[in-house]
Amino acid sequence: MSRFVAFASLGRRALPNQWDFVSLALVIAVFVAVAKGSLGMTAPLTAPVTVDLSLDYSNLPYYALRTTLRMSAAMAASLLFTFVYATIAAKSRRAEMVLIPLLDVLQSVPILGFLSFTVTFFLGLFPGSTMGAELAAIFAIFTSQAWNMAFSFYQSLRTVPRDLEEVAVGYHFSPWQKFWQLEAPFAMPALIWNMMMSMSGGWFFVVASEAISVGDTTIKLPGIGSYLALAIDAKRIDAVFAAVVAVIVVILAYDQLLFRPIVAFAAKFRVELSAGEVQEESWVRQIFLRTRFLRGLIAIPARILASVALLRLQFAFPGAGGEPQRVTKRVLRARLALSRAFDVVWFVLIGAMVAYCLDQVYAFVSQKLTVDDLKETLVFTTFTMIRVFLLIVLASLFWVPIAIYIGLRPRLAEKIQPLAQFLAAFPANVVFPIAVVLVVQFSLNPDIWLSGLIIFGTQWYIVFNVIGGAMAFPNDLREAVVNYGIKGRIWWKDVILPGVFPYYVTGALTASGGSWNAAIVAEYVKWGDDKVAAHGIGAYIAQATEAGDYPKIVLGVAVMSIFVILFNRLLWRPLFAWGERRLRLN
């Protein structure tokens, strides 16, 4: 009764305003779009090849809706994976020994490598339904989104400022409370920029995920990616440009409706003692803040989530509570011996697992392939590794200063954000016809001229991470730099480059994986019946996938994975550890 009286006393303030109707219209439109797209995802599938697609422009809105739903589902799965996987890797030393190298491999395994073995699995889960093909496509997009998000979240959890950790200890936070009150908010700015990169990265491989062709199995799902693949096969340049326009519209829509409000919301999670002069804004966020009914509805789950985040959720161990017990040297030595024993057992289990996996790979591959095939893949992988390294160096030299300049200017970053998302999402397949025509027409060397296509899967990981690092650079430190008059070379060398270095290493590491992945589509391109291939492991895997040669696919993916692990362990991991140890904010 008291709540009813309080509500009645609000008078006109309790009535819906114009913003309620606007926001309600947006919410209903989203539900209708999801319902319409979901109907097509569960339609019957009577043959390995779906119904014929049409290049009619009027179909593009529906195709765009289906693609957006797939990418949104993959993004939700990527977020869940990130919070679980990266947190375990950051919190457990033994788990980190396995999970991070595994993540190195997963980000480098090409999407075609995943599709080659998962299409049949997902189709078997839902026989006679399009849902199996949809899950295969969503999983393929997931593999292009999840890895860099997990790396970003892991890096943020490992570089939380020590003084903030001391505050958490002073407040006696449990691990659960510390995660939700300190670590997750600290990681939000970088994670959000990597979410944008992941969403854009999904567009890069949307053709491979919606137009699946592995041996005799061909599946084409309605979507912008399959539309673009059909336009390329038919040499319809007008349809290619129509697909690009549709991509632009979709990117602008989810930038305004999703990412811009999230960026504006996450601005409050920056680590700084003084607020910046420019605050991010979002018209969608302002609409929802001005509503009455929706704010009341959102307040209920918000309070529930806040209560859950404050739960201690702390397990009680024997000896916990009461008076603190004194730990003797004997007890410490026993604990150390037990920890070493666990390490030995853990290493033995890992070694046995690796040996078993290598034995299975060898048994599968050796049935049809010889040592000459192994030598060939080693040479091809070396060629691709040289391309990847050179392109990362060139992209870093060009984009790091530009990304820092953008990240330190929030208003400019707000304007650049949708443009950067579009450029990162720009389907590389649009450039393939130009590359094929030029290479064939002028008899150019594919090993040189196709290498530039890999840059589409390299540079944007560096750009988005460095922009996120520059935006997260504390405003109070910037003010201190201005007060001390630090400028020029010293400012670059001693201030901003060390400040964004951990973010750059994360971006470069994920760019490395993205480059290996991009090599699959960049080293083997086609325009209609014209095909051009460079010497590299990407072309090797793409051709093996097209032919349905599974032993060659396994061999190529295995050799590539070994190279990636060595590449990351010898270069990026030492740099990451050095940045974590020397350049974290204290």
Side-chain angles (χ1 to χ4, degrees):
M1 179 62 68
S2 61
R3 291 182 179 180
F4 176 78
V5 173
F7 180 80
S9 65
L10 294 175
R12 293 183 58 187
R13 289 180 297 168
L15 299 177
N17 55 21
Q18 67 272 25
W19 303 111
D20 282 291
F21 293 110
V22 173
S23 56
L24 185 62
L26 290 175
V27 172
I28 293 177
V30 170
F31 277 109
V32 170
V34 172
K36 184 176 180 181
S38 300
L39 290 176
M41 291 184 174
T42 56
L45 182 67
T46 57
V49 182
T50 57
V51 294
D52 292 334
L53 300 175
S54 172
L55 293 179
D56 190 346
Y57 299 158
S58 61
N59 293 324
L60 271 174
Y62 178 69
Y63 292 167
L65 173 62
R66 292 286 294 271
T67 298
T68 304
L69 289 179
R70 295 184 191 108
M71 297 184 69
S72 300
M75 176 59 66
S78 299
L79 275 174
L80 179 62
F81 172 85
T82 295
F83 274 88
V84 175
Y85 193 99
T87 302
I88 295 175
K91 298 294 184 180
S92 173
R93 178 178 59 87
R94 295 188 182 94
E96 180 187 22
M97 296 176 185
V98 178
L99 296 183
I100 296 304
L102 181 60
L103 199 59
D104 289 336
V105 174
L106 289 174
Q107 71 159 344
S108 62
V109 173
I111 287 180
L112 292 180
F114 285 112
L115 288 176
S116 303
F117 300 97
T118 57
V119 169
T120 306
F121 170 75
F122 283 112
L123 289 178
L125 288 180
F126 298 91
S129 174
T130 310
M131 180 58 70
E134 289 287 349
L135 289 179
I138 291 172
F139 180 78
I141 298 173
F142 166 84
T143 60
S144 67
Q145 293 180 343
W147 319 137
N148 68 297
M149 292 170 56
F151 269 121
S152 170
F153 199 69
Y154 167 79
Q155 178 259 334
S156 297
L157 294 181
R158 293 295 299 268
T159 56
V160 175
R162 293 187 181 92
D163 53 346
L164 295 182
E165 290 186 341
E166 293 174 358
V167 172
V169 173
Y171 278 101
H172 301 287
F173 281 174
S174 67
W176 176 265
Q177 292 172 324
K178 180 183 176 183
F179 178 79
W180 290 112
Q181 301 299 319
L182 171 60
E183 295 169 335
F186 175 78
M188 276 300 107
L191 178 61
I192 288 170
W193 277 91
N194 274 277
M195 286 174 58
M196 289 188 280
M197 178 63 240
S198 294
M199 201 71 168
S200 298
W203 286 102
F204 189 86
F205 294 101
V206 73
V207 174
S209 61
E210 292 181 346
I212 306 171
S213 180
V214 181
D216 297 330
T217 302
T218 301
I219 299 174
K220 289 185 178 180
L221 298 170
I224 295 180
S226 55
Y227 182 94
L228 183 58
L230 184 62
I232 292 175
D233 291 338
K235 291 188 175 182
R236 283 276 304 273
I237 195 67
D238 61 313
V240 171
F241 283 112
V244 173
V245 172
V247 171
I248 295 174
V249 172
V250 173
I251 290 174
L252 290 176
Y254 69 63
D255 171 72
Q256 293 294 316
L257 298 176
L258 177 63
F259 287 124
R260 190 64 59 83
I262 293 177
V263 170
F265 171 75
K268 67 179 183 179
F269 296 131
R270 292 178 186 168
V271 180
E272 55 190 10
L273 298 178
S274 60
E277 296 179 358
V278 180
Q279 299 295 327
E280 290 81 357
E281 296 179 355
S282 167
W283 62 271
V284 173
R285 183 167 178 263
Q286 291 299 321
I287 287 178
F288 276 86
L289 288 177
R290 293 173 181 174
T291 61
R292 291 170 180 161
F293 281 179
L294 287 180
R295 272 192 305 169
L297 293 176
I298 294 174
I300 298 175
R303 283 196 295 268
I304 295 175
L305 292 176
S307 300
V308 171
L310 288 174
L311 293 176
R312 294 200 64 83
L313 291 182
Q314 190 165 271
F315 295 101
F317 296 98
E323 294 295 329
Q325 298 179 353
R326 196 177 76 172
V327 180
T328 63
K329 292 183 179 181
R330 182 178 179 181
V331 173
L332 288 176
R333 285 195 297 267
R335 290 180 179 177
L336 182 60
L338 184 61
S339 177
R340 289 175 178 174
F342 274 122
D343 286 342
V344 171
V345 174
W346 184 248
F347 292 146
V348 169
L349 290 176
I350 294 174
M353 187 181 302
V354 171
Y356 175 78
C357 293
L358 292 177
D359 178 70
Q360 292 298 311
V361 170
Y362 175 78
F364 183 78
V365 170
S366 61
Q367 296 176 359
K368 294 184 178 180
L369 304 181
T370 63
V371 177
D372 292 334
D373 293 298
L374 176 60
K375 293 179 180 179
E376 184 182 33
T377 56
L378 290 174
V379 172
F380 285 161
T381 308
T382 302
F383 287 158
T384 301
M385 183 181 67
I386 294 173
R387 291 191 185 102
V388 168
F389 180 75
L390 291 177
L391 290 172
I392 288 178
V393 172
L394 293 175
S396 300
L397 293 175
F398 181 80
W399 282 111
V400 167
I402 297 176
I404 290 175
Y405 181 87
I406 295 172
L408 294 178
R409 293 161 177 81
R411 286 182 179 174
L412 179 61
E414 183 179 347
K415 297 177 181 178
I416 293 293
Q417 178 181 320
L419 176 62
Q421 287 186 64
F422 167 70
L423 293 176
F426 188 80
N429 308 68
V430 177
V431 187
F432 291 172
I434 302 174
V436 173
V437 170
L438 290 177
V439 171
V440 173
Q441 186 70 26
F442 297 100
S443 300
L444 302 176
N445 187 349
D447 292 328
I448 297 176
W449 294 95
L450 292 184
S451 298
L453 298 178
I454 299 178
I455 202 71
F456 287 97
T458 301
Q459 57 191 359
W460 303 113
Y461 293 96
I462 297 174
V463 171
F464 277 77
N465 276 277
V466 175
I467 289 178
M471 294 186 69
F473 193 78
N475 188 64
D476 50 306
L477 294 184
R478 294 173 60 182
E479 293 176 352
V481 168
V482 173
N483 292 334
Y484 281 103
I486 300 175
K487 300 178 181 179
R489 185 176 65 87
I490 298 178
W491 180 80
W492 282 97
K493 182 175 71 73
D494 296 335
V495 179
I496 194 63
L497 287 179
V500 302
F501 185 80
Y503 298 88
Y504 164 75
V505 173
T506 301
L509 194 152
T510 52
S512 175
S515 299
W516 287 96
N517 228 324
I520 307 299
V521 295
E523 292 181 347
Y524 182 67
V525 298
K526 57 184 179 179
W527 174 240
D529 296 329
D530 298 326
K531 300 178 181 179
V532 177
H535 292 88
I537 195 64
Y540 180 89
I541 295 175
Q543 291 170 329
T545 302
E546 188 176 57
D549 193 339
Y550 289 96
K552 284 191 173 182
I553 295 174
V554 172
L555 179 62
V557 171
V559 173
M560 176 189 283
S561 300
I562 293 173
F563 268 68
V564 170
I565 291 176
L566 294 176
F567 192 73
N568 290 345
R569 283 292 164 183
L570 296 177
L571 179 61
W572 299 121
R573 285 297 158 199
L575 288 177
F576 184 91
W578 182 78
E580 177 186 338
R581 185 175 62 254
R582 298 287 301 275
L583 301 178
R584 67 189 294 178
L585 293 173
N586 291 319

